[in-house]
Amino acid sequence: MEPEFEERAELFHQDVTREYYLVGSGQKEEMQIAAIYERYKHLFAREAVGQALADVGEKPKRLLAEFVSLEYMENLVKELSEEITNHLLKAKVEWDGQEVPYHNVQTLIVNEPKMSRRHDLDGRRREVTAAANPQRESRWQTLHAEAKGLGFSDYVALCDGLRALRLAWLAEEMKRLLAETEKVYFEKLGYFLYKIDVPEAQAATSDIAYLFRAPQFDVLFPKEFLVDSLRKTMQGMGIDIDQQSYLELDTDPRPLKSPRAFCAGIRIPQEVKLVIKPKGGQDDYASLFHEAGHAEHFVHVDPNLEFSYRRLGDNSVTESYAFLLQHLMHSPHWLKRILGVEEAKDFLTLLRFNKLWFLRRYSSKLLYELKLHSNGAVGADKIYVSTLGDNLGVTVFPENYLDDVDDAFYAAQYLRAWTFEVQHRRYLEGKFGGEWFANPEAGKHLARLWKRGQEPVVEEIAADLGYDGLDIDPLVEELIDFK
Ligand SMILES: [Zn+2]
């Protein structure tokens, strides 16, 4: 691969990330991704991909081959991707005599105290989601066929091989996680549904979303203190976010801004945006700290690393840093030191259940996606409903069976990240104590890891910290501990 090819690949990456940033931050009304692919089309020529795939010996080459193959495939479905995104950006749902933008419906659902109205709202939302399912189906048909066209047995083998996800191992471990957490999960589910007045037989995902909104805890998480809490936390680690010229924190309330916070590393490390639309409450804090984990990782990356290690690589790494900062909310030490909260037992119990829900949901998603991507989209909606429904104990609707899927097994990267995060946190606690986040030495440790970008995979970082690779036991132990 020529150096010039890598430079072009990085410029393409920047342009795409900038487009997502502009649309997501509400500064642009429509996404125009296809034009960017057109500008860089020689990167995605069939020969370039073939050449990259023939040359996957060393790690940076494998990462580049992964990037080029996935983008080559995306290039073939870019019009469909754009159509689906723009359909949702423009769609409206009628509610109480008003037209509500599709992307704001979830906010209404989580704030709607009446179950029947939540279910009605969610039904209207699903109608819009389902309207784009034919496009999603045809998109996956093409991607599945192209994976074979590139010489892999299927899409699973392509992602697993090029992304080093160890999917077979992970699936077995996640089946174990589901089995070992089942009893505690269903006990807690019954308890929490009772608390929000939802009969178990009628419970659906929208009720769980409402449960986690938990406005009774808003008073612990004041909107005015949101950014300050991050500033104060990072100060404890010896990091002054106001001095980080590479980082831009965007909290402006633009009407078109996505309600979901995100971090865009447009140029890593020089141009990193953390975008959030604060609504008030604990969710703002969880989102801000999660995205700050990405942002701090990105701005610390060594600018001299090659493109593959700065931009590509195992996203389980950056997700693990995001989960590490997000998890501070689970720490009574952090709640006390940063927010002055002395007693938060009920909040912490809910937060534990929230994490258990997410782990069971993503484990189920992984098992479902393995089937979807080896057998195809036809009939997959039934597998989606039964796999997620059985493991979560609430109604899961078939309309979401493709909307609830991220490309290239991102779900697996989250699961690898959650697993490693507990190992990493235990290392930090062992070395610096329960208040590790208030120790500049812990900040230095993190900065040293962040500097390496995504050159190592999580297994390698775990080994550096003295572990024998990835281990789900500490995670499972924590998930079933409701003391
Ligand atoms: Zn993330």
Side-chain angles (χ1 to χ4, degrees):
M1 205 62 45
E2 302 301 315
E4 196 213 344
F5 185 89
E6 279 190 44
E7 276 162 36
R8 296 283 297 162
E10 179 157 18
L11 286 174
F12 163 77
H13 206 306
Q14 281 173 21
D15 287 0
V16 169
T17 313
R18 193 181 300 280
E19 182 71 10
Y20 277 110
Y21 158 70
L22 289 172
V23 174
S25 61
Q27 301 179 68
K28 198 162 178 285
E29 263 176 52
E30 200 178 59
M31 184 148 82
Q32 284 153 324
I33 271 312
I36 301 174
Y37 278 87
E38 206 45 51
R39 274 210 301 281
Y40 291 91
K41 64 178 173 219
H42 77 281
L43 288 176
F44 315 113
R46 182 64 180 77
E47 296 138 50
V49 183
Q51 210 184 329
L53 283 172
D55 189 19
V56 292
E58 295 160 56
K59 194 164 163 188
K61 302 268 188 213
R62 173 175 64 71
L63 300 183
L64 202 61
E66 173 203 332
F67 172 68
V68 172
S69 308
L70 290 172
E71 293 300 348
Y72 160 79
M73 287 164 52
E74 179 56 32
N75 183 39
L76 300 171
V77 295
K78 60 183 184 296
E79 283 84 9
L80 284 167
S81 304
E82 209 175 77
E83 226 177 281
I84 297 163
T85 304
N86 289 332
H87 159 71
L88 298 180
L89 272 175
K90 286 180 198 143
K92 300 266 198 295
V93 164
E94 207 196 300
W95 189 244
D96 284 345
Q98 298 215 327
E99 301 262 281
V100 182
Y102 172 84
H103 284 304
N104 292 350
V105 177
Q106 193 61 16
T107 309
L108 292 183
I109 291 176
V110 300
N111 287 298
E112 174 54 62
K114 225 171 148 196
M115 182 184 79
S116 57
R117 279 172 57 88
R118 278 197 301 273
H119 290 187
D120 185 1
L121 256 170
D122 191 50
R124 290 167 194 242
R125 182 177 187 274
R126 290 199 309 275
E127 248 175 65
V128 177
T129 308
N133 276 346
Q135 282 94 325
R136 291 190 187 94
E137 273 165 35
S138 116
R139 184 174 178 275
W140 279 115
Q141 238 162 26
T142 305
L143 294 176
H144 289 159
E146 282 304 321
K148 290 181 181 162
L150 289 177
F152 292 88
S153 57
D154 58 15
Y155 186 79
V156 179
L158 179 143
C159 297
D160 201 18
L162 293 176
R163 315 200 89 186
L165 296 172
R166 298 202 292 144
L167 292 176
W169 173 82
L170 193 62
E172 284 314 307
E173 291 298 279
M174 291 306 134
K175 280 183 200 160
R176 188 158 72 81
L177 180 146
L178 285 166
E180 289 181 15
T181 60
E182 183 168 292
K183 185 168 169 282
V184 173
Y185 173 77
F186 279 94
E187 268 168 33
K188 295 293 160 195
L189 177 67
Y191 165 79
F192 280 114
L193 288 177
Y194 173 78
K195 291 267 271 194
I196 56 165
D197 233 354
V198 170
E200 283 183 45
Q202 291 174 49
T205 42
S206 55
D207 301 315
I208 302 296
Y210 169 72
L211 167 72
F212 293 146
R213 169 63 186 86
Q216 68 273 29
F217 300 122
D218 284 2
V219 37
L220 304 180
F221 300 97
K223 200 170 162 179
E224 317 74 61
F225 192 60
L226 178 66
V227 174
D228 267 346
S229 72
L230 176 66
R231 185 175 284 124
K232 200 169 154 188
T233 304
M234 296 316 296
Q235 249 162 22
M237 293 184 218
I239 294 167
D240 182 352
I241 58 168
D242 299 313
Q243 294 297 321
Q244 294 181 313
S245 57
Y246 292 168
L247 174 66
E248 190 197 329
L249 202 61
D250 171 5
T251 56
D252 292 349
R254 287 176 214 105
L256 283 174
K257 198 179 203 178
S258 156
R260 206 173 140 177
F262 65 95
C263 172
I266 297 175
R267 287 185 301 136
I268 293 181
Q270 297 90 345
E271 192 181 357
V272 177
K273 316 273 190 190
L274 197 168
V275 181
I276 185 167
K277 191 175 189 175
K279 323 174 267 287
Q282 44 143 334
D283 194 47
D284 284 349
Y285 280 68
S287 304
L288 179 71
F289 277 82
H290 180 97
E291 301 309 330
H294 290 307
E296 287 301 323
H297 176 207
F298 296 159
V299 298
H300 277 88
V301 170
D302 182 350
N304 299 313
L305 280 180
E306 56 191 294
F307 165 64
S308 296
Y309 292 154
R310 269 184 296 114
R311 297 263 23 174
L312 310 178
D314 181 10
N315 283 333
S316 322
V317 173
T318 194
E319 292 302 340
S320 84
Y321 301 142
F323 287 144
L324 181 70
L325 290 200
Q326 186 182 348
H327 194 88
L328 287 170
M329 289 176 78
H330 289 247
S331 159
H333 297 296
W334 182 84
L335 288 168
K336 187 164 179 224
R337 191 176 180 110
I338 303 294
L339 298 181
V341 175
E342 296 281 345
E343 215 288 312
K345 197 168 174 293
D346 288 348
F347 169 70
L348 289 172
T349 307
L350 180 70
L351 212 53
R352 288 205 178 102
F353 180 66
N354 173 290
K355 188 162 176 190
L356 181 52
W357 159 272
F358 271 98
L359 262 300
R360 290 184 65 86
R361 187 171 124 70
Y362 273 81
S363 300
S364 310
K365 263 160 67 86
L366 173 67
L367 301 177
Y368 157 64
E369 288 179 17
L370 281 165
K371 291 186 179 148
L372 166 72
H373 295 315
S374 46
N375 304 336
V378 178
D381 53 343
K382 291 187 189 66
I383 304 171
Y384 173 73
V385 167
S386 62
T387 311
L388 273 77
D390 290 352
N391 289 325
L392 295 172
V394 301
T395 304
V396 170
F397 294 94
E399 295 94 320
N400 297 328
Y401 85 116
L402 294 176
D403 185 50
D404 196 9
V405 171
D406 293 314
D407 283 14
F409 284 99
Y410 209 86
Q413 297 193 305
Y414 279 135
L415 291 166
R416 288 162 53 79
W418 269 310
T419 302
F420 172 63
E421 186 271 333
V422 185
Q423 293 178 281
H424 191 187
R425 175 156 38 83
R426 288 197 175 183
Y427 170 89
L428 288 164
E429 285 167 356
K431 208 164 165 145
F432 306 109
E435 292 205 329
W436 63 267
F437 55 85
N439 188 330
E441 288 304 316
K444 282 186 197 151
H445 156 90
L446 288 174
R448 275 194 299 274
L449 287 179
W450 289 337
K451 191 168 180 235
R452 299 173 69 188
Q454 292 199 135
E455 177 261 304
V457 293
V458 280
E459 282 87 345
E460 290 164 321
I461 307 177
D464 287 349
L465 302 182
Y467 291 104
D468 189 13
L470 279 191
D471 178 6
I472 75 159
D473 286 345
L475 171 64
V476 172
E477 204 176 281
E478 195 170 277
L479 290 175
I480 57 180
D481 178 14
F482 271 86
K483 279 195 305 295

